Amino acid sequence: MARGKLILIEGLDRTGKSTQTEKLVKSLGDNALLVKFPERSTQIGGLIDQYLTNPEFLLPDQAIHLLFSANRWEIAESMKRSLLKGQHVVMDRYVYSGVAYSAAKDTKGMDLNWCLQPDKGLLKPDLTLFLTNSDSELRQGFGEERYECTDFQDKVRGQFAAIFDTLEDPDYKSKHIKFLDTTHKTIEEVHQLVRAVTSDYIQGHADVNEFIYF
């Protein structure tokens, strides 16, 4: 049996990631599983949720970074089992977000390489769709959680660019990462684009069963 594909949708806040992951999973049918990071239903995820929603709950930047990584490790094996059963796993955020958001804090010692180390050994996505949008309207109206403000999001955008330019292997980047400009596109237009790229990848790599690791 061919294994399922690990598909990641990434990007800044308010670029439509959650909407598109949900629509993609629905379009893939019963053969797809949605995973959102952080996964807040676990014990570690509960701590992360408290940190993100309660401004009085303080943790060192290094500690919360390691908690985010631990949260990914918590469900790494269950995701792998699903993939081995032939089920596609679609993720809303993953390692790239964890590294970019932590590095954007400019905390001494927390550079991109340091931030990536705790995730070494995790499964690497077969396909990453990075959503970009230059429409200024999407830069308005952030929520109330930590990190949801324009100035910080601008720093995160720079860190995402640095990750793909300096940390990612060029061969992997060219084959497994697609940048999708969603500017001036409707939700349905973006979905059709996401669906087409995903379908092409799944069909073109149906016989690839080896896993890739960070």
Side-chain angles (χ1 to χ4, degrees):
M1 176 189 295
R3 72 164 177 85
K5 303 307 177 190
L6 186 61
I7 302 161
L8 168 63
I9 296 184
E10 272 284 14
L12 297 176
D13 288 353
R14 296 185 63 79
T15 52
K17 297 180 309 306
S18 295
T19 298
Q20 294 303 326
T21 51
E22 291 169 1
K23 290 180 72 67
L24 179 59
V25 167
K26 185 176 181 180
S27 70
L28 292 173
D30 294 336
N31 197 37
L33 170 69
L34 175 62
V35 176
K36 294 186 176 184
F37 285 108
E39 171 49 72
R40 305 189 192 210
S41 66
T42 67
Q43 287 185 313
I44 293 174
L47 286 174
I48 293 172
D49 181 67
Q50 186 179 359
Y51 173 81
L52 291 174
T53 59
N54 182 2
E56 296 181 356
F57 182 48
L58 303 178
L59 287 172
D61 291 336
Q62 294 87 345
I64 190 60
H65 177 76
L66 294 174
L67 283 175
F68 271 104
S69 179
N71 186 233
R72 292 186 282 273
W73 280 104
E74 270 187 302
I75 59 173
E77 283 303 313
S78 64
M79 290 198 307
K80 190 172 185 178
R81 287 194 296 269
S82 295
L83 293 167
L84 289 172
K85 292 177 182 177
Q87 190 173 32
H88 303 306
V89 176
V90 180
M91 299 182 294
D92 180 353
R93 295 197 186 281
Y94 192 43
V95 172
Y96 295 124
S97 274
V99 173
Y101 275 71
S102 288
K105 296 176 182 178
D106 296 324
T107 301
K108 184 177 180 180
M110 289 181 63
D111 59 13
L112 291 174
N113 284 293
W114 186 93
C115 291
L116 181 61
Q117 293 310 303
D119 292 307
K120 288 287 189 178
L122 284 174
L123 287 176
K124 210 167 191 178
D126 296 298
L127 175 65
T128 294
L129 304 177
F130 190 85
L131 306 185
T132 64
N133 196 308
S134 60
D135 190 339
S136 61
E137 291 182 1
L138 290 185
R139 310 301 300 146
Q140 308 293 326
F142 287 110
E144 296 181 353
E145 290 190 352
R146 290 181 201 255
Y147 311 148
E148 293 183 335
C149 62
T150 301
D151 289 345
F152 188 73
Q153 289 291 312
D154 286 341
K155 292 181 179 180
V156 173
R157 178 169 49 192
Q159 294 300 332
F160 271 126
I163 290 170
F164 295 130
D165 289 344
T166 64
L167 289 188
E168 200 50 86
D169 176 76
D171 186 58
Y172 173 85
K173 179 180 175 181
S174 66
K175 294 178 180 178
H176 300 275
I177 301 177
K178 306 298 180 183
F179 299 90
L180 305 183
D181 186 357
T182 66
T183 306
H184 305 316
K185 292 183 176 64
T186 66
I187 290 174
E188 187 57 34
E189 287 172 338
V190 175
H191 169 63
Q192 292 303 321
L193 181 59
V194 167
R195 183 73 176 95
V197 174
T198 302
S199 296
D200 287 347
Y201 185 89
I202 291 174
Q203 293 173 11
H205 297 79
D207 297 328
V208 177
N209 289 314
E210 297 83 3
F211 285 111
I212 315 169
Y213 297 89
F214 280 99

